[in-house]
Amino acid sequence: MSDTTPEGKRDETGEGAMPKTYDPSSVEERLYKQWEDGGYFKPSDGDREPFVIIMPPPNLTGELHLGHALMDTVEDILVRWHRMRGHPTLWLPGIDHAAIAVHVLMERGLAKEGLTRQEIGREAFLERTWDFVNKSRARIFDQHKRLGASADWSRETFTMDPGPARAVRAAFYDFYQRGLIYRGERMINWCPRCQTALSDLEVDHQEEQGFLWHVRYPIINDAGEPTGDYITIATTRPETIVADTAIAVHPEDERYRAFIGRKARLPIIGRELIIVGDEAIEREFGTGALKVTPGHDPVDFEIGQRHGLPIVNALNLDGTMNHEAGPYAGMDRFVCRDAIVRDLDEQGFLVKTEPYAHSVGHCDRCDAIVEPMISEQWFVAVNKEFAPGRSLAGEALKVVNDGLIEFVPERFTKTYTNWMENLRDWCISRQLWWGHRIPVWYCDACNATIVPPPDIEEPATCESCGGAELRQDDDTLDTWFSSGLWPVSTLGWPDDTDELRRFYPTTVMETGYEIIFFWVARMIMMCLAAMDGRRDTLEERIPFRYVYLHGMVRDEHGAKMSKTKGNVVDPLELVEKYGTDALRFSLITGGGTGQDQRLWEDKVEAGRNFANKLWNAGRFVISQLPEGETHVPPSADMRTSWAVEDRWILSRLSRVTAEVEQLTRDFQLNEAARRIYDFLWGEYCDWYVEMAKVRLRQEQGTGSKEQGPSPLPVLVHVLETGLRLLHPYMPYVTEELWQRLRPFAAEPPSEMLIVAPYPKADPALEDADAEIQVEGLIDLIRQIRDIRSVHKIPAGEWIPSVKYTAITSEVMSATLPDFDRRNGLVLTALRESAAIVRQLARVQAVEQGGHLGEGIKAHLQRDQRGRVRFVAAGLDVLLVLPSSQDASAERARLEKEIAETEGYVARLNGKLGNEQFRSRAPADVVASEEERLAAAQGRLDGLRRALGELA
RNA sequence: GGGCGAUUAGCUCAGAUGGCUAGAGCGUCUGUUUUACACACAGAAGGUCGCAGGUUCGAGUCCUGCAUCGCCCACCA
C-alpha cells in the first residue's frame, strides 16, 4: 500500500498514497500557490477589529538571513493565528531603499571597475542603482514566500515608490512649517570615506588602543612674549592641535587657577590661545588641562559657545588637512598626526606619550573613522515645543509611559525611555545620491529657501522674487526618515484613505531589538506628529499597540553570523534540506522572546522529525478511516458512550487549547509551540493512538463493535483539532494533512486550513476523573515496562499475568476521602480497560485479585515463575513473570524506589508538620500536599512489604 | 561611567504573576523491524538551578551583594 510509493516521487495532486516519510518539497510550493491564488492573504471583510502588521522592510543589499527567517516566522504565526480567529488580518510587506548601505555597495562595485561616482555623475549612478534595486526586489520576496509568509503581496511597497515618496515630502513640508525641521550649522559626524554627514546613531564606537600625548604650551604675557611658564594638556588627537583656539581648566583647580584669563601660544602654528575656566573639565583626567578645539570636538564646541571662542576648521571633507594646518596642509589626517607628534617632540613640546585605550567613532557602514565637524545640515528638532508642553520626543515618551504602546519583552521599555530622554537633534541630510532628495529649493537671486507643499514635485518660480532660477538642495534624506513614516505612508498618508482609517493604528510592530532607536523610536515620533490634527487622541495617533522584539540568531558557538566570518547559514538551504516547517519550528522554540539563540542543523532536524511524526500519525489515522464514511466532531453530550481514554484525550485537548490561547495572547509563542508539541507527540501519539489501536484491533478482529464505541471519531477529531492548533507554527504539513482528512469530515468548516477556525477550549469536555484514570493506567503500564527492562524480559515476550488490588489505607481513607475515591476510579478504569494494559504492557491476563497477601514466598515454592510485587497508581500489584526473577536486580530496584519515596515522604511530613505551613498556606495547597503524602505513604508501605517478601 | 541580559543535565535551551519528586531536544547507556513513523518505539543514567546573604509557611522564580560571560548606551580630552 502506501509504503510502495517510491521516495522522492512527486505527488502533484496532493491526493493518493502517502509516502512513508513526509516530503516537504512535494507540498510547499503547491500549497503556497493555493493559498495565494485563493486570496487568503488579503484581509477579510467584516467589522471585527483588524489585526495589522507592517512588515519591517528588509533592505535591498542582502540575501535573506536567519534573522529574517525568525522575523517571518514570528509575524506569520501571529498573522495566521488572528486570521484563523476571524479577524480581518493585514500583513503588509515592503522593502527599504537602505540609502547609505546601498550607496556604499554601489560605490564598491564602481571601485572594482576603477570608477568613482563623481566620474560617472549623479544620473548614471542612480540609473545603475535602480537596475540593482529592481533585480533584488523580486528575489527578496521570493525568499519570504519560501518561508511560508502569508503576507498580502498585492500591497507590496518600496520606500522609493511614488506614494511613500510623496509622504516623505508631505512630512518634510509639514514638519518644516511647524519649525520641527530646520537647517543650521552644527557639530555633526562626518564620514570622510562616504563623504556624508551621519546621525549620532550611525556612529559605531569601538574601543581602540591609542596614545595619550602630553603637550606643553608656553604661557605668554600681554606683549605676546613667553613667560617661561608652560601649561601641559593631554590629547589623543594631536592633529587637531592646529585648530585649537583655547585652553580650558576647571575654575576651581588650584594648579591652574592663576592661569585663567592669561594666554598661551600654540606650538608650531603660533596662534594665541586664551585660557578659560570651565566646569566641564575633569580635574583628574590627564593633566587637568584641555586643549579646546571647537571645530572638531563636540565638548569643545560647547565650551567654545560658552566662552565665545573662534572656530577653526582644519579638515577637508576627504579627511586631509586644509590650509589652516599650515605646514601640514594637504596631508591625510593620520599622516599629519605622526608628523605633528614628531615635530612637537623635536621642538621640545612633547612631554610624555602614554598608551591609552579609548573609544573611537567609526562609520556604521564603511568603518572609516568619523570626524566631528561643523557643517550646515538639516535637522529634526526632537525636543522643540511645537505647542505648549508638546515635543516629538516628549509625546513619544508619553505614549510609552502611559502604556499606549507596550514593549514585549517589557524590559526594552527602559532601553527606549532612557534613549528618548537624552535625545539630541537628528541630523537628516546626507551628502549621498541614493535616497529621497531633500524637497527644498534655493533661489540664488534673492537667497530664499523654498519648501513646496508635497504635491508640487518641482517648484517653477521663487515664491518671494518670482525668479525662475531655482536650485534643488543636493542632499538626500537619512533612510530612516522615510522608514519612520512607514506605518502611515504604506497606508496612503498624507491622504485620509480608507486604508488608513481601517488599519491605523497597526497592532504589532515586530522587529529586532537592535533597531529600537534607528527605527521604532523614529516611527513613534514621526507617526505621532504625522497624525497630529487628523486624530483626536494620542491613542488614535500611535503607529502600533505592541512592539514585539525578537532576538538575534547566532551560530553554534554563539558568534554573530557574518559574511566576513563565513559562518552565515542560509535559511533557504535549511528549507531545502529539512522543510520550511522544520526551520520555523526550531526557530520559534529555540529561545525565549527577545533572547538571542543559537541555531544549527541538529536543531532543525528535531523540527523535521516532528513534522514527520505528524505525517505518520495522519497516515495511520487516514489508513483506518473507511472510504466515504464521515465523522461529526464529538460533543460533551455524547460523553457517556466514550471510553475512558477518549474522555481523557478530549479533556487534555481542551486544556491544552486553553493554555495555547493564553500563551499566544501573551506573545509566549515558544511556550505555546512547545505545549502543542508535547500534546501531539507525548500524549496523542504516544498514548492515545496506541490505546485506540487496542479497540481498533478488536473491531477488525471480530468484525464488530461489541468491544465498545469506535475510537475513530475521537482519533480523527483530536488530530484535526491539533492540526488547527499547530497550523500557525507549521503551516505546510498541517494544511497537507488537513486536506487529506477533510473528505472524512461531515461538515468541514472551510476549504482550507489557513482559514479554518482556530480551536477554542471546551470546558464541558474537561474531565478530571478521566485524567486520574488514564494517568493511573499509564503509571501501571510504565512500571510493568520498567520491570521488564530490569528483568531483561524481551519486548516481544508475554508476561503471564498482573493482579492488582486497592491498598486498604487504614489512616488515609479516614482522613482523606478523596484517596479512596481516586483508587475507586483507577479500579474502574482497569476493569474497563484491561485490554489496554494487556496490549501496551504485553501481559496475558490483567485481573483484580483480593488476596495478594498470601505472599510471594508461597508462590516461589510452588513453581519456577518469578513474582514481583510493587505499587502503581495507588494499587498493590503483583506481577507474575515468565521465568524466575533475578532477586538481586529486583532488590536493587525496590531499594532505589524506597529510598526515593522515603525522601519524598520525609519532605512532605516536614512540610505538613509545620504549623506555620498549615496556618499560612492556602487551604488547597495544604490539601494537595496531604493527598500527595497519602499516596506516597501508601506506596512506601507497599514497596517495603515487597522488599520484605523478597528476603 | 551608566543600563540590560545570561549563568538550570555532557551540549543547546524552556521553566510569566513564588506552591507536584525542576522539564525538553540532542548526546550517552540497555533493549526493539510491537503491521503510522528507526526522522521511530520502550526503558535508564545524568542537575546542592553561578556564589553569599535576605524576605516567606514555602525561592530556580522575589530582594541585596558578589563573580564570570555577553550586549547596549555615553562628549573624560
Side-chain angles (χ1 to χ4, degrees), chain A residues 319-478:
Chain A
T320 58
M321 309 305 292
N322 68 19
H323 66 278
E324 295 282 359
Y328 310 104
M331 278 186 193
D332 176 79
R333 52 195 163 144
F334 298 114
V335 175
C336 172
R337 176 179 295 180
D338 293 342
I340 284 195
V341 169
R342 194 186 57 231
D343 294 348
L344 289 170
D345 193 17
E346 279 173 9
Q347 295 173 32
F349 294 109
L350 186 65
V351 177
K352 176 160 92 164
T353 303
E354 57 178 329
Y356 181 67
H358 60 133
S359 84
V360 178
H362 290 251
C363 172
D364 199 26
R365 279 298 147 190
C366 78
D367 209 42
I369 292 180
V370 163
E371 293 291 340
M373 273 206 227
I374 306 287
S375 174
E376 186 165 58
Q377 302 286 346
W378 288 93
F379 295 87
V380 172
V382 295
N383 295 312
K384 179 174 176 176
E385 291 202 359
F386 56 83
R390 296 175 61 198
S391 65
L392 291 175
E395 293 207 320
L397 206 48
K398 186 171 163 53
V399 293
V400 170
N401 285 336
D402 291 357
L404 300 180
I405 295 178
E406 290 174 53
F407 282 83
V408 180
E410 201 211 333
R411 63 186 147 89
F412 288 110
T413 310
K414 204 169 161 185
T415 310
Y416 172 87
T417 53
N418 282 349
W419 187 78
M420 197 55 91
E421 281 161 1
N422 299 299
L423 200 51
R424 300 199 301 180
D425 283 357
W426 170 21
C427 175
I428 51 169
S429 44
R430 298 288 179 275
Q431 288 64 53
L432 304 171
W433 290 344
W434 174 241
H436 293 283
R437 188 95 177 250
I438 291 183
V440 173
W441 281 259
Y442 305 103
C443 172
D444 290 330
C446 71
N447 254 342
T449 297
I450 301 142
V451 180
D455 287 322
I456 298 178
E457 279 194 50
E458 179 145 25
T461 55
C462 172
E463 292 163 349
S464 29
C465 74
E469 293 286 299
L470 297 182
R471 167 174 67 79
Q472 185 171 9
D473 195 301
D474 273 330
D475 295 346
T476 51
L477 287 164
D478 184 359

Side-chain angles (χ1 to χ4, degrees), chain A residues 204-221:
Chain A
D204 182 21
H205 294 272
Q206 297 170 20
E207 185 89 338
E208 269 175 31
Q209 201 50 241
F211 295 95
L212 194 57
W213 285 280
H214 294 240
V215 181
R216 60 178 190 174
Y217 289 18
I219 306 285
I220 55 175
N221 60 21

